[in-house]
Amino acid sequence: MTKAATKRKPQTPKPTSEYLQELYQSQKQNGEEARLRSTAETLRRMIRLEQKVDVPREYASVAPAFRSTFVRDAFSHMTAALTQKPPVAHVEPRDNTETARRAANVAERWDMAALETMDTERDADTIYEAAEAVVRDGEGVIKVVDRPAAWANFPRRTTDEKTGDVEAAEDYSKRSELFKKGAPFPLAWRAVDRLSCLFSEGEWGDEWVIEYGEYPTPFLGNRYKMRPDIRTGYLVNPRMILGGKPAPEGMLATQRGRSVKIEFFDADWWHVLIDGQDAPGFPRPNPYAPHLPYFRAKAPASESMLYSLLYLVPTFDTAVDLYAAGLDRLADGLEQR
């Protein structure tokens, strides 16, 4: 936990499970939020070529159910255009002195190395994933967190109990360097599905965020040491650790049951609900206070860049299907003659 979280006095009361669930439901039904979600779900179906093609019933039996790839192609081309050049970190020097400029240059190189390291550990291109979300959904979200447990075993400088001699600086540096090379990076990031998140836009930016995730029950039970009531049907075996990648609401496919995790951050608090119940030890002070560990990029007016194809492509598909069905009927008529 950072020093800011321990020193800053909370300005708001502790959030309760009832408050968070009501907040989630009310914000999801907000007009702008509902519109974004509806459009994003429709465009995702079109990218997967799963959109419904409306044809009259009398033509349904002979229509070829044609689906054009315009949306999928535009999606790939726009994302590639936005990410054709790698991101470049920039740090503004504190002043115009040579020392400040050199320090800013060191910080830039460290940031670039950190981005590459975090992507390498996940075997993913987070910037590309976030750009995909901006093009498709109108907004892209990246979550950045610290992992203090990654360096929990960082070597300490030893002292000989008999002589009281402190370990030589050179020996300690060697042990520290070996640990750094083998330990995971203490920061991590990932692109978060926008349909998993709800944001409250305040006068000075996002005031709070709720992230909804559906996980296999054994994973959350093991992570948070929770055993749901046996009557619910969610039996947790802590020895089983399944994949922990979250899915948006209603999109998790699993045969062993699912559990819902709702994670909440505002300037003061961090709270986690598992299946509607407070996770052990929560709520806690926000370890990133007064900031949120989420970064949101928006297209103009949070509008999908594919919106112009939202109605054009289904109409085109229907026209092609009707044209093909008409040709089939004409061919059938000629054969009968």
Side-chain angles (χ1 to χ4, degrees):
M1 184 176 294
T2 61
K3 292 182 179 179
T6 57
K7 290 183 178 180
R8 188 176 186 274
K9 292 184 178 180
Q11 304 296 314
T12 56
K14 285 185 178 182
T16 63
S17 58
E18 293 80 8
Y19 169 73
L20 292 191
Q21 292 184 84
E22 291 177 4
L23 201 63
Y24 177 81
Q25 294 299 332
S26 62
Q27 186 66 14
K28 192 174 68 169
Q29 296 168 7
N30 177 282
E32 290 297 321
E33 181 68 27
R35 182 175 181 274
L36 181 148
R37 288 171 172 265
S38 175
T39 303
E41 291 173 359
T42 302
L43 287 171
R44 292 182 187 203
R45 288 194 295 270
M46 295 172 71
I47 290 171
R48 296 192 299 264
L49 303 182
E50 297 174 353
Q51 69 269 27
K52 182 181 178 181
V53 181
D54 292 323
V55 294
R57 193 184 334 174
E58 56 270 21
Y59 289 94
S61 60
V62 294
F66 170 82
R67 291 176 175 83
S68 61
T69 61
F70 293 149
V71 176
R72 175 183 285 186
D73 294 342
F75 174 55
S76 300
H77 295 161
M78 288 182 181
T79 306
L82 290 173
T83 58
Q84 60 179 329
K85 295 182 180 179
V88 177
H90 176 67
V91 177
E92 194 70 26
R94 295 179 60 182
D95 50 52
N96 201 31
T97 62
E98 180 64 22
T99 301
R101 289 197 296 269
R102 285 164 57 187
N105 181 256
V106 171
E108 290 174 349
R109 288 189 282 117
W110 189 93
D111 287 344
M112 293 303 297
L115 300 184
E116 182 179 354
T117 299
M118 291 189 292
D119 270 354
T120 300
E121 290 188 351
R122 290 187 58 245
D123 192 21
D125 189 337
T126 304
I127 296 296
Y128 186 88
E129 292 176 354
E132 282 186 325
V134 172
V135 173
R136 181 191 60 215
D137 305 332
E139 293 185 6
V141 182
I142 293 179
K143 184 178 183 180
V144 184
V145 298
D146 65 339
R147 299 190 295 175
W151 283 38
N153 296 323
F154 191 87
R156 299 177 180 272
R157 198 168 181 178
T158 60
T159 303
D160 191 300
E161 296 181 359
K162 295 181 179 180
T163 64
D165 295 336
V166 180
E167 181 181 11
E170 184 178 351
D171 296 337
Y172 176 68
S173 296
K174 289 181 179 179
R175 292 201 300 121
S176 301
E177 288 300 323
L178 286 174
F179 176 87
K180 292 177 183 178
K181 291 179 180 179
F185 194 65
L187 299 175
W189 70 343
R190 65 179 174 90
V192 182
D193 193 319
R194 178 58 179 81
L195 298 187
S196 293
C197 297
L198 292 170
F199 293 88
S200 173
E201 295 190 19
E203 186 176 2
W204 313 109
D206 294 330
E207 295 183 346
W208 54 259
V209 58
I210 291 178
E211 183 182 351
Y212 176 105
E214 296 182 0
Y215 294 80
T217 298
F219 171 78
L220 289 183
N222 182 73
R223 181 171 183 178
Y224 292 96
K225 311 302 180 188
M226 295 180 69
R227 286 186 172 83
D229 191 329
I230 192 172
R231 292 173 295 179
T232 65
Y234 296 114
L235 302 179
V236 176
N237 181 356
R239 292 174 296 180
M240 294 186 61
I241 303 178
L242 304 183
K245 185 178 180 181
E249 186 170 0
M251 295 186 182
L252 180 71
T254 177
Q255 296 179 351
R256 294 192 58 84
R258 66 174 180 87
S259 288
V260 173
K261 172 185 173 183
I262 291 181
E263 188 170 15
F264 168 84
F265 283 95
D266 67 5
D268 299 315
W269 298 104
W270 172 28
H271 198 8
V272 174
L273 301 183
I274 307 296
D275 288 337
Q277 303 297 319
D278 297 338
F282 287 91
R284 303 175 183 173
N286 179 1
Y288 312 100
H291 307 290
L292 307 178
Y294 294 82
F295 297 86
R296 183 161 56 137
K298 303 180 184 179
S302 295
E303 192 85 3
S304 171
M305 296 181 183
L306 303 173
Y307 192 82
S308 59
L309 301 175
L310 184 62
Y311 301 102
L312 175 62
V313 169
T315 304
F316 175 79
D317 291 348
T318 300
V320 172
D321 275 10
L322 291 176
Y323 178 73
L327 290 179
D328 286 345
R329 287 202 166 188
L330 177 62
D332 290 342
L334 292 176
E335 288 179 0
Q336 291 176 1
R337 289 184 183 181

